[in-house]
Amino acid sequence: MRAVVLVGGFGTRLRPLTNSIPKPMLPVGQLPIIERLVMNLARGGVTEVTLALGFKPEPFVEAFPSGECAGVALRYAVEPEPLDTAGAIRFAADSAGIDDTFIVVNGDVITDLDVSALVAFHREHGAEATLHLIGVPDPSAFGVVALDADGRVERFVEKPAPGTAPSNLINAGTYVLEPSVLQRIPTGQKVSIERATFPAVVADGGLFAMATDDYWLDTGRPELYLQANVDMVAGRRRHDHCDAVHELASVAADAVLVDSLVGPGAELGAGATLVRSVLLSGAVVGAGAQVTDSVVMGRIGEGADVRDSVVGADGVVAPNEHVHGERRPDPDAG
Ligand code: GDD
Ligand code: MG
């Protein structure tokens, strides 16, 4: 089975991390998000993935020079301009010549979903399109559905105003689509699958959805990106595991790590402490520093105390400085 993975967004909510690396190339458990995602698609029977890219394909091509990722053949479809979710799916599917039932995934989703079970559900219901759903306490930041007893979607509402959501079941960003869905999407223009295409399929009674309680995260915000890493190293995933310290990292013998990861080339100094945090490639944490609930790509001076913060590749924390709840450099500063 073939799949389209949407990776063309700008990763705005993950700045300043995404100033230097596209969101899908940021690591979760020492491997790029996209590779974790493709590994799960491969487990579910996917053999070819087309990456729907809105801009700069180079970091992806460099990361997977053989045109293969997790044993799956990779294709690249680069839009001339961002076409939004449905426009991107149409563009990528056309460029890959997709003419049979296929999978679509939002490129920032990390999940243990059994994709083959979603395909089986889709076929049993004779659906035109099938969504994976997850129950969440606050659905307002997502697409939300109302379902009937047979799993047919009666309403799909993207990002409803707080308090107006029809249920707590959200679109978890993995779809099974019939090629007829492509015919609903005009070519060469911006079209949202959530706001235009799904409501049209609902009107024709062809949208179905399967809720599961699998592990699931949208890594698009810093605290959730961090959570995806911490969950991996803490062993909360069904199939995936990772080393806390990459073999190319440098960690002092007396440094302390609690539910944390240190990536290739990162350095953790003598007596430093890392709690529920991630040091990415390029991070340098000085002796005696404390880093808690944070993601670091830049430099943290000796004895500093960093909490609930994101330090990008150009971010610097001075020796002994206390930094709480900051992004450095500040993405919103001029
Ligand atoms: N190629 C391409 N072109 N990709 C795009 C474009 C585009 O113009 N716009 C967005 N994408 C990609 C993003 O890179 C991301 O992988 C995916 O489409 C979804 O965009 P997000 O910006 O992450 O959307 P969201 O998280 O606010 O909402 C979506 O995901 C939720 C689940 O995580 C929606 O699908 C919601 O309905 C859903 O609940
Ligand atoms: Mg997202």
Side-chain angles (χ1 to χ4, degrees):
M1 174 145 319
R2 294 194 274 184
V4 170
V5 179
L6 294 169
V7 290
F10 291 101
T12 315
R13 291 165 290 187
L14 276 179
R15 291 180 305 169
L17 301 175
T18 45
N19 291 352
S20 51
I21 303 182
K23 171 163 75 172
M25 289 305 301
L26 286 170
V28 163
Q30 312 284 12
L31 293 176
I33 290 170
I34 185 69
E35 192 164 344
R36 293 282 175 201
L37 191 157
V38 173
M39 282 165 73
N40 197 53
L41 290 177
R43 277 192 286 267
V46 169
T47 51
E48 184 189 281
V49 163
T50 299
L51 296 183
L53 292 156
F55 62 115
K56 287 211 287 193
E58 296 84 5
F60 297 92
V61 181
E62 279 163 24
F64 309 106
S66 62
E68 201 186 284
C69 172
V72 170
L74 279 189
R75 288 169 167 270
Y76 303 92
V78 185
E79 294 148 45
E81 57 184 338
L83 294 173
D84 207 339
T85 45
I89 292 165
R90 172 87 205 242
F91 181 84
D94 284 354
S95 88
I98 288 175
D99 56 3
D100 200 356
T101 310
F102 67 109
I103 310 289
V104 172
V105 189
N106 285 344
D108 54 5
V109 162
I110 291 282
T111 182
D112 288 337
L113 170 71
D114 176 355
V115 174
S116 67
L118 192 69
V119 173
F121 180 99
H122 174 84
R123 298 212 155 111
E124 280 159 21
H125 289 78
E128 182 177 3
T130 299
L131 315 176
H132 173 220
L133 303 178
I134 286 281
V136 299
D138 175 11
S140 62
F142 301 98
V144 189
V145 304
L147 278 185
D148 77 7
D150 300 327
R152 191 187 300 265
V153 177
E154 293 172 325
R155 264 180 82 204
F156 184 103
V157 196
E158 183 66 11
K159 305 203 170 88
T164 68
S167 77
N168 287 322
L169 291 173
I170 62 146
N171 168 22
T174 302
Y175 320 135
V176 184
L177 304 182
E178 288 306 308
S180 60
V181 174
L182 297 171
Q183 302 312 313
R184 296 174 177 272
I185 305 168
T187 54
Q189 30 177 298
K190 273 192 182 333
V191 187
S192 160
I193 197 157
E194 296 88 353
R195 294 178 195 277
T197 318
F198 286 152
V201 181
V202 168
D204 291 343
L207 189 66
F208 287 75
M210 181 180 96
T212 76
D213 57 4
D214 290 303
Y215 181 90
W216 181 87
L217 265 186
D218 176 330
T219 55
R221 286 189 289 137
E223 62 278 20
L224 294 171
Y225 169 68
L226 179 58
Q227 188 69 47
N229 277 283
V230 170
D231 288 343
M232 182 83 72
V233 79
R236 296 193 187 106
R237 301 293 306 284
R238 191 190 299 159
H239 306 284
D240 293 337
H241 306 280
C242 71
D243 292 332
V245 177
H246 194 277
E247 58 181 15
L248 299 177
S250 153
V251 174
D254 62 349
V256 177
L257 265 85
V258 180
D259 289 346
S260 295
L261 292 99
V262 185
E267 296 175 24
L268 186 60
T273 304
L274 209 54
V275 179
R276 294 181 303 276
S277 292
V278 181
L279 302 188
L280 295 170
S281 188
V284 178
V285 175
Q290 301 237 17
V291 178
T292 309
D293 297 316
S294 297
V295 183
V296 179
M297 275 182 175
R299 305 182 75 87
I300 294 183
E302 294 186 4
D305 183 350
V306 175
R307 286 166 195 270
D308 298 313
S309 294
V310 179
V311 180
D314 298 325
V316 177
V317 174
N320 301 312
E321 192 183 352
H322 288 219
V323 173
H324 292 182
E326 275 191 42
R327 296 190 188 203
R328 285 208 184 168
D330 180 357
D332 299 319

